[in-house]
Amino acid sequence: MSSILTKKCALALAITASFSGQLIANDKQIEHQLTPNKTTIKEEKQEAPEKIVVTGSRLKRDSFSVATPLVTMDRAAIQDTGLGNLSDVLVDNMPALSQSIGNNTSQSSISGTGLSTVQLRDLGANRTLTLIDGRRVVSNSYGGNYVSLNTIPSGMVERVEIISGGASATYGADAVAGVVNIITQSKKEGFDFQARGGQTTEGGGKEFTLDLNYGDSFANNKGYVFFSANWDRDFGISYYDRDRAKIEAAHSYNNTLMCNQMMTESGSKCMRDITQADWVSKSDGTLGGVFLENNNNETQFWYDGQTLRDDWKGNEEIYGINSNQYVMLDVPSDNLSTAVKIDFDISDDIMSYFQMQYSKSGSFNSKSPEDEYEGAFVPRYDAVTGDPIADIAPGYIPINNPYVPQQILDANPYKDRIYWDRRFGEVGNISTDNDRTTIRTWAGLQGTMFNHQWDWDVSAGYGQFKQHQIRNNELNVINLNQALQAEKLADGSIQCIDEAARAAGCVPINLFGEGSITPDMADWIRSNPIIDTKIQQYTVMGYITGDLFELPAGSVSAVFGGEYRKDSQSLDTSEDMKVGGITFNVVPSFYGEVEVYEAFAELAIPLLKDAPLAKSLSAETSLRLANYSMENVNTVASYKLGLLWQPVDGYMVRANYARAQRAPTITELMSPPRGDFDSYDDICDGLTATSTKPGHDNCRLEPTLAKQLAEDPNFKFDSEDNNYSPGTGNPNLKEETADTYTFGVTLSPEFFRGFNLAIDYYDIAIIDAIDEISNENIMNECYDSEAAWGSNNEFCNDITRNNEGNIIKILQREYNLDELTARGYDVVATYDFDIGSYGEVSLKLDYNHVIENSQTYEGLDGNNVVTHYAGYGRSKDKAAMSIAWSLDDLRIRWRTNFLGSFKADQQDEKDYLTAVLENNENCAAASADCISNPEPLAYQDYGSYIKHSLSASYTMALTSNSDLRVFGGINNIFDNKGAFYPSGNGNYYSGYGGGTGRYMYLGAQYSF
């Protein structure tokens, strides 16, 4: 279609491609040559028009010649990694990215297990817009706007672009941190089939991938079709695959002895006085049960299989169970994805396009059997009104329960009640079975107008995501409570006492001994809750683009367009999840939808050309107005102003300011309280009548704790929290506002041909940021702030304790927090050179340094609470470096990944520094409590980490029309799994690969 002219500036073309996901151009006849201010187009005269190739972007763009910072990764580099999961590929090679959800980070996740998502600047996946061919697509999670990268056929990917720094005006409000744009193939001719397999050298981590791709023209070159299919199976890594995972590490710091401690069979001991062989970390949730475990019972019982023993007291770390054995280090997953693209020339001036993607993925996360005890309260709700009713716990085993062994009765249980703790192995391992189906499709027309001087594009899209989740082998606490209330009849049979329960099928339960729960008993207390999620997205979009008028320095180019989008999501849960009373999250059904009408415009203005110290100077400005159907949001504006200055050939300076306003997601705005579990340490733990820890003065005001203190002056509170922390939406949320500044320089000096360097600084400040306040800060706001403790403190109202003082729920609400801040800089460098008959060499460096990553909000007392995340739990420095050598059909690539030093936990450091300060005061006062040589906090400071990988591929011709490419490699050649990390799964840090270690792979691709 050589009559379609595309005379517009480089930026406008890029923006157009981003809006539409499509760009009209002839495949070889139109050459786009990128310059700072204008696109030069050469059109060669043809005998006959060629087919249109629809792509995400026909424009050659890189990090060194555009105003907005951009990092790219091409198909060859993706193939060199030998990884099947696209998110793993990107996180490993693009330092600005980090994993949001992945197979080695979602072990404790429920709805997220099996997803594969990324985020920019550690600002959350909701603020990173993931596009396919420049097009917004349906989310893969009701939790937010999360696009799972394993829903995209990996063989279809041509390249990936990371656009950072204020992209909302161009791409949409969700692009606060930036854009991940997946560009798919559009020029493939012929058929190829690829198979790849790999496994870690230490065992586990097996993967297998099959790719099929086909592309061809039809109807006398008027049409083009491309088909891609991918199947990828990750078999996972278990606890038993890694020796380090078997090390039982329960580390703590003793503020009195000023030493690092590990749990041993005889309690916590200073590490300097023991060896690793002494470390233990076991649970009292044994498969046979533990009974009378209370400080008031001198004799405590447990079952060693079917043998009742009375030596449990003080011996949990000897006879208990290591619950970590049930945790996968890498969760298995299975993904099948297919896609088809069709383009057809309706006439010389109009082309139609269509694309559909289908993905089906599954993950099965097997975990421990439920570990339950008498006081584990769970919430309940009225089945009709949805109002909360009294929480329920399994309850103590009544002293007259007919299954109670006489030996336990003879021990005179405290208050004639039997405390118990047991893992319900007979019910089965808890497992999360997630099945997901994703359909994404769009179609449109594009052509020219105004005598071929302007291009237009009109399209419509539809996306649907469905998730069916079954949570197997949870416990129905209501039924368990009824089953424990049992009586023996005259004929020796045992039945549930409650008549209504008997009518419903109640089976009395025997908790005494491993295997004592019969199949009928297990069926009565088993619950298999189900969540069905459906998300839909409808889009209609149109735009026009072309040159407005001429200035002395060149044409002023523009893009004008509009878009309509409707997002809806429904969550349908089984009855037991709606009414609660089970050992799983309470998740009510709910439906929400949002409509958005958007108008956008973009201008590229050449200001100077060939002037002194201004080879070129151009300005870019864009505006996007979005009207939301949300009550507190309505119309928001995102806009950008950018400058690109080229003082002389090969050197550029670029600067951008952008304003972005992101509306809350459906879940953030409308979700009712939905269950979740987040680890936290009760601020009141260790409370005594005289304890002086922060917050303990107010902890003593808690009625349940105050009662126990009054009954026993020597009472010490040892918390047994269930870590239940449901999240909830907030209908009062408004939009968040982000201001982004970027400033950078690029160098491509003439005297150093083939070398390019880009250095960019970014500063993102998000006001009224939508986020949750951490459980620790919620407790601090209640107990350890200048605000008064009690019912007038909204944070205290979000904390619920049972009658023993243990926290059974902390409600995490969404708030418009004051500010999130991310500052840092990126460095990208490439160097390509020819070594004559010895081939070609390419060097590449991507580096990111984080200066600040923080959250600030105003507490109830009016004081700002600032949490700095940079350098805690994650490194401030991350780099990926590679050198690739190519000679004819041989390609070898060496890749090095670098992760800088970091500190493990901010709260641990805060507590340690407080202890050091107190110890210094004791020493200054010559107190007997002074420790002269306090130990530094262990497992807190982690040094830099380096990983090396090698890949090779060779292509050989089989016939004149076919060839075979064989490839293989070793990732993490030196098997560097990183330092011991006791707070991570299997004692591994996820940023070091989560215990994956050395990974070898081999594959072949047949093309014809």
Side-chain angles (χ1 to χ4, degrees), residues 894-908:
W894 181 280
R895 186 176 79 253
T896 298
N897 293 91
F898 170 82
L899 202 63
S901 61
F902 68 95
K903 295 178 179 292
D905 189 272
Q906 191 172 18
Q907 188 62 44
D908 285 351

Side-chain angles (χ1 to χ4, degrees), residues 670-723:
M670 305 177 188
S671 173
R674 61 196 188 283
D676 194 9
F677 289 86
D678 295 316
S679 61
Y680 53 80
D681 295 319
D682 189 348
I683 193 173
C684 297
D685 185 47
L687 178 74
T688 66
T690 59
S691 57
T692 58
K693 289 184 178 180
H696 278 205
D697 285 343
N698 284 327
C699 287
R700 279 186 280 270
L701 301 177
E702 281 284 353
T704 56
L705 297 174
K707 180 181 177 181
Q708 295 177 81
L709 285 169
E711 292 175 350
D712 180 5
N714 297 318
F715 168 75
K716 180 179 179 182
F717 178 53
D718 294 318
S719 64
E720 295 182 358
D721 308 316
N722 61 3
N723 293 329

